[in-house]
Amino acid sequence: MKIRGDKLSSLAKERGLSAEQLAAAVEREGLKGTAAVSAVKNWMRGNDHPRCRPTDCAKLASALGVELSAFVKFTSQVRNHRGSPRKAGLLVDLIRGKKAQVAENLLTFTTKRAALNVKKCLMAALADARNFGADVDRLYVVESRCDEATRMKRFHQKDRGRAHSITKKFSHITLSVAERAGKGGKK
């Protein structure tokens, strides 16, 4: 779960709350005084440092008088997927901006090998959203990206004692879902 900084700052402006007032609501052991104010300002800018706990998000939602899903996105990540980022990126680009149920159906019936891990990542983000009470019918894929990970290097024997290198690529898949403001979503 990550805070969407633009939504948080716009909600705070609408309600007329400053970062100091929100920090007073979020204060806990290890996050008091100026550290709490600094954390809230970071969250409003979109930085996730210090990491926002689910209890912090719930306190912010109650201070703003909105539901938790109004300014939070639910993120999941599959690390070290055994496939190149270029191939997994095709599927990630396919579902970006789509409604969550449509994206799930697309990944179910896609014949590409990377679809299994992309779907696994999507399902984990959806489960996280369900646990925090988000409306599943209004969820859509906000962010989807595929980054390059480490490479496994191997060598293949060739003639006259030579060796040719073989590079096997890995990738990190990241998906985020959030609620759309209106009814339903993009198909």
Side-chain angles (χ1 to χ4, degrees), residues 165-186:
S165 64
I166 298 171
T167 306
K168 300 182 178 185
K169 297 178 182 178
F170 287 75
S171 55
H172 300 312
I173 301 167
T174 306
L175 290 177
S176 296
V177 295
E179 280 191 22
R180 184 159 277 162
K183 201 87 164 151
K186 213 187 255 186

Side-chain angles (χ1 to χ4, degrees), residues 153-159 161-167:
K153 294 182 180 177
R154 298 288 180 259
F155 291 95
H156 194 261
Q157 297 175 357
K158 289 295 180 178
D159 58 342
R162 293 181 182 164
H164 287 192
S165 64
I166 298 171
T167 306

Side-chain angles (χ1 to χ4, degrees), residues 31-42:
L31 191 67
K32 292 184 179 177
T34 57
V37 174
S38 175
V40 170
K41 286 181 180 178
N42 280 345

Side-chain angles (χ1 to χ4, degrees), residues 21 25 37 41 48-49 54 57 63 82 87 91 96 103 115 119 143 146 152 165-166 168 186:
Q21 292 170 329
V37 174
K41 286 181 180 178
D48 197 28
H49 183 74
C57 293
R82 181 65 182 83
K87 292 178 182 177
L91 293 172
R96 187 178 299 122
K119 184 177 177 186
E143 173 192 9
C146 185
M152 185 180 357
S165 64
I166 298 171
K168 300 182 178 185
K186 213 187 255 186

Side-chain angles (χ1 to χ4, degrees), residues 32-186:
K32 292 184 179 177
T34 57
V37 174
S38 175
V40 170
K41 286 181 180 178
N42 280 345
W43 296 337
M44 288 179 143
R45 278 193 303 266
N47 297 342
D48 197 28
H49 183 74
R51 182 69 47 94
C52 186
R53 296 180 181 172
T55 54
D56 298 336
C57 293
K59 289 177 182 178
L60 281 173
S62 64
L64 290 168
V66 296
E67 292 182 19
L68 183 67
S69 56
F71 62 91
V72 170
K73 64 181 177 181
F74 303 96
T75 304
S76 176
Q77 191 173 42
V78 171
R79 299 186 57 81
N80 296 318
H81 160 68
R82 181 65 182 83
S84 71
R86 184 175 178 182
K87 292 178 182 177
L90 293 171
L91 293 172
V92 166
D93 292 340
L94 177 70
I95 64 170
R96 187 178 299 122
K98 298 271 194 312
K99 197 172 170 184
Q101 293 170 342
V102 173
E104 182 183 346
N105 287 337
L106 284 171
L107 293 171
T108 300
F109 297 108
T110 301
T111 58
K112 296 194 175 289
R113 190 179 94 183
L116 292 174
N117 278 335
V118 176
K119 184 177 177 186
K120 181 166 120 178
C121 189
L122 177 66
M123 297 310 289
L126 289 175
D128 192 23
R130 274 191 211 101
N131 287 342
F132 286 99
D135 185 9
V136 180
D137 295 330
R138 290 185 0 194
L139 288 176
Y140 68 103
V141 180
V142 179
E143 173 192 9
S144 61
R145 69 175 191 268
C146 185
D147 300 322
E148 190 172 320
T150 57
R151 295 177 178 196
M152 185 180 357
K153 294 182 180 177
R154 298 288 180 259
F155 291 95
H156 194 261
Q157 297 175 357
K158 289 295 180 178
D159 58 342
R160 294 190 288 172
R162 293 181 182 164
H164 287 192
S165 64
I166 298 171
T167 306
K168 300 182 178 185
K169 297 178 182 178
F170 287 75
S171 55
H172 300 312
I173 301 167
T174 306
L175 290 177
S176 296
V177 295
E179 280 191 22
R180 184 159 277 162
K183 201 87 164 151
K186 213 187 255 186

